[in-house]
């Protein structure tokens, strides 16, 4: 079974995807990490983030085991990832790696922006997770302040709106719900309720039995 979870920054898609994968016993790929790692490599090599050739070379050189998640998670890297992710050749360089992961014999859960539309249009279940920009900014600000980072809600909200705009308006694989995706709005849901709603969608779509416990 392939489960595709897409949605904008801080919508809850990562948490939902991780939890569904654990409950369903499937491997999980956070595809945002691929773009974050690509941007990190470009920066580490001293190139500009606008350098398409350097970004494509970095994307081609990635291996799924490369990622230092903690180093890639911050706001700065999200913004940088969004810049390289708008480059069609960077996206093309990362397609096969994601499809190979999705088509493992055991199945998989992938989360990102274009899983249901481009990477796995054949996915058994597609969920588009969304939430108001304000709710997403509140969550991100809380998450970062809990990690000890200095955060300012207004700046987080501006960053989220800017990233939404870039991810939605790019020509290559823009952020949007697949026609056959179920939209899950998490604005008013806590984490447990959002996960329960996502699991219900999976079970309704696949007729699969729920997890043992
Ligand atoms: O999900 P995230 O915040 O880690 O993603 C970082 C950036 O990477 C996001 O702004 C857009 C890009 N991205 C993408 O274009 N396609 C994906 N499948 C995943 C992420």
């Amino acid at each position: 079974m392939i489960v595709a979870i897409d949605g904008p920054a801080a919508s809850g898609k990562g948490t939902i995807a991780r939890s569904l994968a654990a409950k369903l016993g499937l491997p999980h790929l956070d595809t945002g990490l691929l773009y974050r790692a690509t941007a990190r490599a470009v920066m580490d090599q001293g190139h500009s983030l606008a350098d398409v050739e350097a970004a494509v070379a970095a994307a081609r050189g990635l291996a799924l085991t490369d990622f230092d998640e903690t180093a890639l998670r911050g706001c700065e890297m999200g913004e940088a990832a969004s810049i390289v992710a708008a480059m069609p050749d960077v996206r093309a360089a990362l397609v096969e790696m994601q499809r190979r992961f999705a088509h493992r014999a055991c199945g998989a859960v992938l989360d990102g922006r274009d899983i249901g539309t481009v990477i796995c249009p054949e996915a058994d279940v597609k969920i588009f997770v969304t939430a108001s920009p304000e709710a997403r900014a509140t969550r991100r600000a809380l998450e970062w302040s809990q990690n000890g980072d200095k955060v300012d809600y207004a700046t987080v909200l501006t960053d989220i709106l800017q990233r939404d705009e870039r991810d939605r308006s790019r020509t290559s694989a823009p952020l949007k719900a697949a026609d056959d995706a179920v939209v899950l709005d998490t604005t008013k849901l806590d984490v447990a309720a959002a996960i329960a709603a996502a699991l219900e969608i999976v079970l309704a779509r696949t007729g699969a039995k729920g997890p043992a416990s």
Side-chain angles (χ1 to χ4, degrees), residues 4 6 113-118 120-128 174-184 205:
D6 289 302
R113 301 291 188 289
D114 62 341
I115 308 304
T117 51
V118 175
C120 297
E122 72 287 11
D124 302 278
V125 187
K126 299 179 188 178
I127 304 178
F128 191 82
L175 167 67
K176 65 171 186 197
D179 291 340
D180 52 350
V182 178
V183 176
L184 173 57
R205 282 276 161 134

Side-chain angles (χ1 to χ4, degrees), residues 18-203:
R18 250 191 319 280
S19 175
L20 280 183
K23 286 178 189 295
L24 298 167
L26 298 174
H28 166 229
L29 179 61
D30 168 355
T31 63
L33 285 178
L34 302 177
Y35 296 93
R36 286 171 184 259
T38 298
R40 183 76 262 168
V42 170
M43 291 160 74
D44 287 349
Q45 289 159 18
H47 299 292
S48 149
L49 281 172
D51 186 335
V52 176
E53 226 173 88
V56 171
R60 289 201 180 123
L62 286 188
L64 287 180
T65 47
D66 274 352
F67 310 130
D68 174 354
E69 283 206 38
T70 320
L72 295 174
R73 281 277 162 228
C75 157
E76 184 206 352
M77 288 317 302
E79 184 60 22
S82 172
I83 294 170
V84 297
M87 299 169 178
D89 289 347
V90 166
R91 304 198 73 83
L94 295 172
V95 166
E96 271 320 303
M97 183 188 279
Q98 295 174 78
R99 288 195 177 142
R100 264 201 312 276
F101 187 95
H103 286 282
R104 291 166 172 207
C106 53
V109 178
L110 287 82
D111 76 84
R113 301 291 188 289
D114 62 341
I115 308 304
T117 51
V118 175
I119 302 298
C120 297
E122 72 287 11
D124 302 278
V125 187
K126 299 179 188 178
I127 304 178
F128 191 82
V129 184
T130 183
S132 71
E134 292 76 16
R136 291 186 282 129
T138 302
R139 287 175 196 161
R140 262 298 132 84
L142 183 68
E143 185 190 320
W144 286 335
S145 70
Q146 282 170 344
N147 289 342
D149 295 331
K150 265 199 171 162
V151 283
D152 162 47
Y153 171 82
T155 309
V156 177
L157 180 59
T158 306
D159 287 349
I160 279 189
L161 292 172
Q162 192 175 319
R163 199 128 74 85
D164 281 1
E165 175 57 24
R166 188 183 296 115
D167 293 346
R168 285 201 173 106
S169 61
R170 68 184 178 219
T171 48
S172 179
L175 167 67
K176 65 171 186 197
D179 291 340
D180 52 350
V182 178
V183 176
L184 173 57
D185 187 336
T186 65
T187 304
K188 295 190 175 140
L189 303 180
D190 63 16
V191 173
I195 291 169
L199 187 58
E200 229 173 79
I201 293 166
V202 173
L203 300 183

